[in-house]
Amino acid sequence: KRPVSFVKEYLKSGDHAEKLIRENQPACVVGVGGSASLAVVKAAWKSKTPVILLEQNVVPGRATSWLTKYAREICVSFKGMERYFGKDLIVTTTGNPLRSCLHHLAEKRSHLQYQEKSIVVLGGSQGSVHLNSAWKMALEDQRLQTRLAELGWDVFHQTGDHTFELPNVSVRYHAKAYFENIAEPLTSACLAITRGGATTLAELACLGIPAIVVPISESVRDHQRKNAKYYCNSGGAKIVEQCSHPRQTGNNLAEVILSLLNSPPQLATMSESMKSISQTDATEHVLAVIQKYLP
């Protein structure tokens, strides 16, 4: 039933997309991946509107791979991605454009003395059931609670879940389903626990926040693990694999966190490594590509 439903919806969205392009007559269309971009990109191609694709991950997603035949150029976030595309397609390494508030926050953080420090847990805007559970299991390790309390670090936790029950811990704990003000959890963050989403990792790199990445084990084309490996190989991140049970993930997570909390020089080195691979001018590079196709 699902494939049939998808085909029906896709055909219907195609009609809407063609109407959208016809009525608005855009000078250029940028596809950013995902199934939502399929119909609009194809409609743009049919109307001879220039199409540019933006790929955030280390490996192209299914939508990006399928849409390359309609594109004039593709903007990628990492060097060496040319091998995934045909020879006739222009591939430009631009980096991953970020919200302007992240750049302002990065400048603010560079002037902080970090009297207050924190660890931030980010499961994405929708949160992560496994990551939330694993984090709670990690906090059951009394060594971790004690070390965080000794250091005076706060915990900021984006749960993605309004029903999340706070753990009984001896540290200052700030939990929200979603932080509307991104500065709240990230201004004082010295370590992040996160999934392997490309944009989240790019944001952490911009801010120079070392990361412990727990990639989603079933991500498409294993892109989350591959994203994480890029930052790990660069020295800015550690990987903790998702185990079959959150308790094992949590135990492994606690060990890695403790090793970093007990080694401030290593955290400082990881922070510098994250900053060194951040592409802070990505937005300007993408805009420069778009401008090539404007009349």
Side-chain angles (χ1 to χ4, degrees):
K1 292 182 180 179
R2 188 176 178 182
V4 173
S5 175
F6 173 81
V7 171
K8 286 184 177 179
E9 292 301 317
Y10 175 70
L11 293 174
K12 187 188 298 183
S13 64
D15 294 335
H16 288 302
E18 289 182 14
K19 181 181 179 183
L20 181 71
I21 296 295
R22 186 169 57 252
E23 291 179 348
N24 291 277
Q25 296 185 342
C28 182
V29 166
V30 180
V32 296
S35 58
S37 65
L38 297 178
V40 178
V41 167
K42 187 176 180 180
W45 173 79
K46 289 175 68 175
S47 70
K48 301 188 183 323
T49 302
V51 170
I52 297 168
L53 301 180
L54 177 61
E55 178 55 59
Q56 298 91 349
N57 295 291
V58 172
V59 292
R62 290 173 181 166
T64 298
S65 296
W66 190 76
L67 292 173
T68 53
K69 57 189 173 184
Y70 302 123
R72 304 275 186 94
E73 190 164 344
I74 180 166
C75 300
V76 298
S77 297
F78 305 94
K79 293 180 179 179
M81 291 185 65
E82 296 85 357
R83 66 184 183 275
Y84 294 110
F85 307 104
K87 294 181 180 179
D88 296 332
L89 180 63
I90 301 173
V91 180
T92 304
T93 303
T94 59
N96 193 346
L98 302 177
R99 294 171 285 180
S100 59
C101 64
L102 266 297
H103 298 291
H104 297 316
L105 181 56
E107 186 173 342
K108 179 181 179 181
R109 279 174 55 91
S110 69
H111 294 94
L112 289 176
Q113 297 302 311
Y114 292 113
Q115 286 89 354
E116 295 183 5
K117 297 183 179 181
S118 64
I119 185 170
V120 61
V121 185
L122 301 169
S125 59
Q126 300 302 313
S128 166
V129 173
H130 187 99
L131 188 61
N132 285 346
S133 299
W135 170 243
K136 290 179 76 171
M137 302 293 181
L139 283 176
E140 290 181 5
D141 189 321
Q142 197 58 44
R143 297 175 302 160
L144 179 55
Q145 282 198 49
T146 300
R147 188 62 180 138
L148 286 170
E150 288 174 348
L151 293 169
W153 282 28
D154 285 30
V155 174
F156 287 89
H157 184 180
Q158 181 171 279
T159 68
D161 181 0
H162 293 281
T163 64
F164 180 80
E165 294 183 9
L166 295 179
N168 183 19
V169 291
S170 56
V171 296
R172 292 188 297 272
Y173 205 99
H174 315 270
K176 288 185 179 181
Y178 184 66
F179 287 95
E180 294 292 341
N181 178 12
I182 197 64
E184 184 178 354
L186 295 182
T187 297
S188 60
C190 296
L191 180 63
I193 317 299
T194 183
R195 289 302 207 174
T199 299
T200 296
L201 290 173
E203 291 177 345
L204 294 175
C206 174
L207 299 174
I209 301 175
I212 299 175
V213 187
V214 185
I216 295 176
S217 56
E218 66 276 11
S219 63
V220 176
R221 296 181 176 175
D222 203 24
H223 71 272
Q224 287 217 351
R225 183 178 287 102
K226 291 172 181 175
N227 289 341
K229 284 183 68 175
Y230 174 84
Y231 289 89
C232 184
N233 292 341
S234 300
K238 301 283 186 181
I239 296 176
V240 171
E241 296 290 356
Q242 177 174 315
C243 300
S244 57
H245 194 280
R247 179 165 295 281
Q248 185 58 54
T249 308
N251 291 342
N252 296 340
L253 193 55
E255 293 296 336
V256 177
I257 296 170
L258 278 167
S259 70
L260 292 176
L261 293 182
N262 290 328
S263 179
Q266 185 177 10
L267 271 178
T269 299
M270 290 176 68
S271 175
E272 290 303 316
S273 296
M274 287 296 264
K275 289 179 185 177
S276 70
I277 58 176
S278 175
Q279 295 165 293
T280 56
D281 52 0
T283 301
E284 289 75 13
H285 285 171
V286 172
L287 286 173
V289 170
I290 293 172
Q291 287 173 343
K292 287 164 48 178
Y293 299 95
L294 298 183

